[in-house]
Amino acid sequence: MSLIAGNITAGYGKVQILTNVGINVAPGEVHCVFGPNGSGKSTLLKVCAGVLKPWSGALELDGQNLLGFLGHEFIRAGIVTVPQSGGVFSELSVLENLQAGGLALTDKTAVRASIESMLERFPILREKKQARAGSLSGGQRMLLAFARALVSKPKVLLLDEPSAGLAPVVVKEVFGLIRDLRAQGPAILLVEQAVKDALPLADKVTVLAQGEVQFSGFAKDINETELAKAYLGLAKA
Ligand SMILES: Nc1ncnc2c1ncn2[C@@H]1O[C@H](COP(=O)(O)OP(=O)(O)OP(=O)(O)O)[C@@H](O)[C@H]1O
Ligand SMILES: [Mg+2]
């Protein structure tokens, strides 16, 4: 199930943020999007998640046109986001957060089974099932955000800076989890500032600056230093 965005131009109100951005994420592949603050990374994810309608361009999942789909239809189609900072509902319990991950789905038996498999996979979430999500540590909240996203067995997983604000040891765990997930086959679009940690995981890389693609290619063809150079160049631009 490849997610293909082509020539996306998008913005907020009258302010244009993205200009002709294209991206192609294939199953079992991690596609990293790097770029300075404010370069449009989260905006691109919002377009891919159906949260922000592009002004023009194309968006397809395995040949199916997604433009015109509503937000919950994106989730039903299999496109799910882990938003920046996880976005768990602090006032809800861990279990209620997991249930929220299945809200858009109609097969409630499958949702219950899927929640159970998440509790099996992440024992800490079972232990804290009834606890308020707001009482969890930063790392546990990110784990919950991943588990909530996985409840619907996504075909495309959109991850917005999952390592941000986490302790280094937790960052390692999060990247380990992404590595495991890739092996299970979803297409993963990973926005990150932690280039050093993310690059070894990446199959493809896109660098954005000021809402435009500056570089797009295979991760094996670039190294961290080159990327940092590109970054520094971009940061000055
Ligand atoms: N809801 C919004 N309304 C208006 N402008 C917005 C909105 N969200 C983002 N922007 C603007 O769009 C631009 C791109 O923001 P975006 O969040 O996509 O960048 P980013 O690359 O994800 O940055 P960061 O690394 O800080 O997360 C910024 O100038 C930002 O101020
Ligand atoms: Mg962002």
Side-chain angles (χ1 to χ4, degrees), residues 68-114:
F69 270 38
L70 302 171
H72 66 277
E73 291 171 327
F74 273 73
I75 297 175
R76 277 191 201 147
I79 301 174
V80 177
T81 310
V82 176
Q84 216 159 350
S85 307
V88 299
F89 304 112
S90 305
E91 296 306 319
L92 300 184
S93 71
V94 165
L95 184 59
E96 287 164 336
N97 267 279
L98 292 174
Q99 287 163 342
L103 278 182
L105 308 180
T106 45
D107 185 348
K108 296 305 172 195
T109 312
V111 169
R112 275 195 295 276
S114 197

Side-chain angles (χ1 to χ4, degrees), residues 12 17 35-44 46 84 160-161 191 193:
Y12 304 97
I17 304 293
N37 293 116
S39 55
K41 305 182 296 296
S42 296
T43 303
L44 177 62
K46 284 184 217 164
Q84 216 159 350
D160 200 350
E161 297 197 32
V191 165
Q193 298 267 359

Side-chain angles (χ1 to χ4, degrees), residues 34-64:
F34 300 126
N37 293 116
S39 55
K41 305 182 296 296
S42 296
T43 303
L44 177 62
L45 281 200
K46 284 184 217 164
V47 169
C48 292
V51 173
L52 181 69
K53 233 183 177 21
W55 296 356
S56 61
L59 190 62
E60 288 182 357
L61 181 64
D62 231 23
Q64 183 178 29

